Amino acid sequence: MRVLLSWVLLTLACALPAPASAETRALLIGVSDYDETIGLADLRGPANDVRLLADTLRGRGITDIALLADGLEGAARPTRAAILEAFSTLARTAQPGDFIYIHMSGHGTRQSDPEGDETDALDEVFLPADTARAEAGSNAIPNAIVDDEIGRALAAIRRTGADVWLVLDSCHSGSGTRAGSPRTAVRFVDPALLGIVAPVKPRAEAAVLDPTPEDLPGGFLAFYSAQSNELAREVDFGTGEGGEAWYGLFTAKLAARLQSSEGLSFRQLFQAVLSDMNDTTVPGGARLQTPLWEGNLIDAAVFGGRDTAGLRRFALAGDTLQAGLVHGIAEGTLLGLVADPADPAQAVIAHAQAVGVTAREAGLRAVTEACVPRAEAPCEAGPPLPATARFAQVIGQPLDTVIRFAHPRDFASGALLPETDPLAAALRSAVESLSGTAMAPTPDAFDIEVVADAGALWFGAQQSLGTQPTGLSWRPDGTADLAALLTRIAEAETLARVLMNVSESGSLLNPSPITVEALRFSAPIEALATPGAQVSPRSECRQALAT
């Protein structure tokens, strides 16, 4: 069995329908404190990830939670031995019908595969707190946990008849992509930093946990925070709080949905998290990862609830909402207040907008029922909030129609281009000509990534295909209008925002009458045109699908 470890592993726990004696258990692993003397940088989000997930699970009545996390009171240090022993304990104690949620959060990387069972000759590895530097010529990172080891541990749990849900939130991309924002950081370690000299290349296909060939009684599901050629981000949600509040992006959005949504299937949960990771509360540089899933429990009900979409509801503490940026609550979000969490959707007794939003809380400003949330201004004030209001459901998010382009970075070095650079000046001039539909380029607060390479600007995700960037490109040769290209990009981005709003339960059309589902098809890279080639996207898609 092969486990892909490109993401930091997290653990949560969920309950599926099971016999009365069945239990739900969670193993939450977060590694933040690494040995900086070998150049292995610390992370800031894993301890917060584990704390947030533990609170979320306890709020759902789950109490059997094992914690392995540094920087968290009451948790054991997440060393290699401690993590493997925690896996063994679950295998010894699990019973048929139990549900096990495993979450590991920390650095991920790759090393050579000595067993020869990897198609790219590389093992994915998770880095515990006691990770050391490899000895010269060994190509094996001391104390790292290899994907095959995790695969065997999961198989041992499933042999007991228990179901396993694994969530991985870490990197294993060797593409050299940069986070591109001071409010985001990546969870990937260059193998060379740890003495691994084997070449590390991103896979052409999506890397997944291969189910064991054995016919195991226990079910299996894995959520991956990013695809194999992407980086997993942790994000600072502390803006406006006077400090920092770092969380794994995938973890934060997953926990928010587990706190607020009832009656979801795992498939619905995954689709909701995918949408939340692209909302306007997320810094532009962090929106460049695409989660995926694998397993046979995808249509089972999360926490044993009904297999139907539920309302997003959050608790109130007076005039304070117990949810914030981590949960996708933006400044100006329109909320409907209800007296009881079991009330139907139409039982709204008052309306309010979120104000002073922080990472996990927001103030409430009373508004009228006629409020249509807009990013540029709050709605008219309404009557005082009723004392009987105890929960809030999202009715609508303010639609931001302004598209923000990043200040161009040099593709090779990652450095920002000088303001006087001709490409940077051309982009600034084109953006200014769009009169209100786009904002001046900035290094961090952006929706569209921009890189410069070989005298051209490239727009899209900062990823490479071989030695070239990918995306839409423009060259200052007079044959293409940059403003027209930016308009095309802005229109596509606005359409995407509108579709996300309409497809969400928390939209202006609440409950939404439209279901939007995105399907992803894998195709060999050889079927696609060379970046920059003048081809019809429709023709290219037909050719790729034909393979």
Side-chain angles (χ1 to χ4, degrees):
M1 170 182 293
R2 178 170 158 274
V3 175
L4 130 85
L5 248 242
S6 51
W7 307 269
V8 174
L9 296 174
L10 306 166
T11 55
L12 286 171
C14 283
L16 297 177
S21 59
E23 297 184 7
T24 298
R25 304 178 184 184
L27 171 61
L28 309 182
I29 303 171
V31 187
S32 304
D33 187 14
Y34 288 94
D35 184 357
E36 293 187 326
T37 64
I38 63 173
L40 190 52
D42 289 344
L43 291 171
R44 291 165 285 190
N48 287 337
D49 289 348
V50 170
R51 186 180 295 109
L52 175 62
L53 291 171
D55 290 345
T56 299
L57 296 179
R58 293 185 184 112
R60 303 300 296 255
I62 298 169
T63 58
D64 190 346
I65 305 173
L67 304 178
L68 293 177
D70 40 34
L72 188 64
E73 184 177 355
R77 185 167 181 252
T79 61
R80 171 185 167 85
I83 293 172
L84 295 181
E85 176 56 30
F87 284 145
S88 297
T89 298
L90 288 173
R92 290 194 302 270
T93 59
Q95 300 292 323
D98 284 355
F99 194 91
I100 311 296
Y101 187 93
I102 300 177
H103 170 116
M104 300 172 68
S105 175
H107 273 310
T109 190
R110 288 176 170 180
Q111 67 181 24
S112 296
D113 166 35
E115 298 178 1
D117 60 348
E118 303 284 357
T119 58
D120 59 358
L122 296 169
D123 278 325
E124 286 77 47
V125 299
F126 178 74
L127 302 184
D130 55 345
T131 298
R133 184 176 174 81
E135 295 290 336
S138 70
N139 276 342
I141 302 170
N143 295 327
I145 300 178
V146 181
D147 53 8
D148 298 299
E149 295 178 292
I150 297 178
R152 288 190 289 269
L154 298 182
I157 297 172
R158 294 176 59 199
R159 287 191 188 96
T160 68
D163 294 334
V164 179
W165 182 23
L166 176 68
V167 177
L168 303 94
D169 187 6
S170 68
C171 292
H172 78 106
S173 169
S175 65
T177 306
R178 298 165 184 83
S181 168
R183 287 186 57 205
T184 69
V186 296
R187 292 177 167 182
F188 171 71
V189 176
D190 186 341
L193 182 69
L194 297 173
I196 302 301
V197 298
V200 178
K201 300 177 181 178
R203 300 175 191 269
E205 78 280 5
V208 296
L209 283 165
D210 286 340
T212 174
E214 301 176 60
D215 185 17
L216 300 180
F220 174 73
L221 181 67
F223 278 9
Y224 305 118
S225 67
Q227 299 193 28
S228 61
N229 61 343
E230 298 173 340
L231 296 176
R233 264 81 175 182
E234 55 181 34
V235 176
D236 178 14
F237 287 98
T239 300
E241 298 183 1
E244 295 183 342
W246 289 84
Y247 295 84
L249 174 59
F250 186 73
T251 302
K253 297 304 182 182
L254 178 63
R257 282 291 175 170
L258 290 175
Q259 286 179 4
S260 63
S261 295
E262 297 282 354
L264 292 178
S265 69
F266 281 108
R267 186 186 300 276
Q268 292 168 324
L269 173 64
F270 180 84
Q271 292 170 340
V273 172
L274 183 63
S275 174
D276 293 346
M277 289 176 66
N278 287 278
D279 65 34
T280 55
T281 65
V282 177
R287 300 183 202 173
L288 307 179
Q289 64 185 80
T290 311
L292 65 156
W293 62 268
E294 176 77 4
N296 57 12
L297 298 176
I298 192 63
D299 289 312
V302 178
F303 291 104
R306 292 167 297 128
D307 190 7
T308 180
L311 290 171
R312 303 190 67 187
R313 279 182 173 162
F314 305 94
L316 304 183
D319 62 354
T320 300
L321 181 71
Q322 302 299 299
L325 295 171
V326 166
H327 308 84
I329 303 298
E331 192 76 16
T333 296
L334 179 62
L335 302 159
L337 309 186
V338 296
D340 189 272
D343 284 343
Q346 62 270 24
V348 173
I349 58 177
H351 293 78
Q353 278 189 291
V355 296
V357 184
T358 64
R360 297 177 68 173
E361 289 186 343
L364 295 178
R365 177 180 180 274
V367 296
T368 65
E369 185 178 358
C371 172
V372 177
R374 301 185 185 279
E376 59 269 20
C379 291
E380 178 183 348
L385 299 177
T388 54
R390 296 176 51 227
F391 290 85
Q393 63 193 46
V394 175
I395 293 179
Q397 297 282 7
L399 182 61
D400 187 359
T401 59
V402 175
I403 307 301
R404 297 160 182 83
F405 290 86
H407 184 91
R409 292 178 178 270
D410 179 73
F411 179 72
S413 67
L416 293 173
L417 297 187
E419 294 286 347
T420 56
D421 185 275
L423 289 176
L427 176 61
R428 185 170 58 253
S429 176
V431 167
E432 291 171 354
S433 72
L434 297 183
S435 63
T437 60
M439 289 189 66
T442 64
D444 56 339
F446 58 84
D447 304 300
I448 306 298
E449 184 99 34
V450 185
V451 296
D453 183 65
L457 289 177
W458 295 79
F459 301 88
Q462 188 178 341
Q463 297 175 328
S464 63
L465 180 60
T467 59
Q468 289 186 284
T470 61
L472 294 176
S473 65
W474 174 83
R475 293 181 181 276
D477 55 9
T479 60
D481 183 2
L482 180 55
L485 177 63
L486 299 188
T487 299
R488 173 187 171 190
I489 294 172
E491 289 175 346
E493 180 69 14
T494 301
L495 175 61
R497 292 181 183 181
V498 171
L499 290 176
M500 281 200 311
N501 200 16
V502 171
S503 69
E504 273 295 279
S505 60
S507 73
L508 292 175
L509 303 173
N510 183 23
S512 173
I514 299 175
T515 298
V516 178
E517 181 177 348
L519 301 179
R520 175 181 177 273
F521 296 90
S522 298
I525 198 67
E526 296 79 13
L528 304 180
T530 303
Q534 299 301 311
V535 297
S536 162
R538 187 184 301 273
S539 299
E540 186 176 43
C541 284
R542 278 200 301 266
Q543 181 179 354
L545 290 174
T547 62

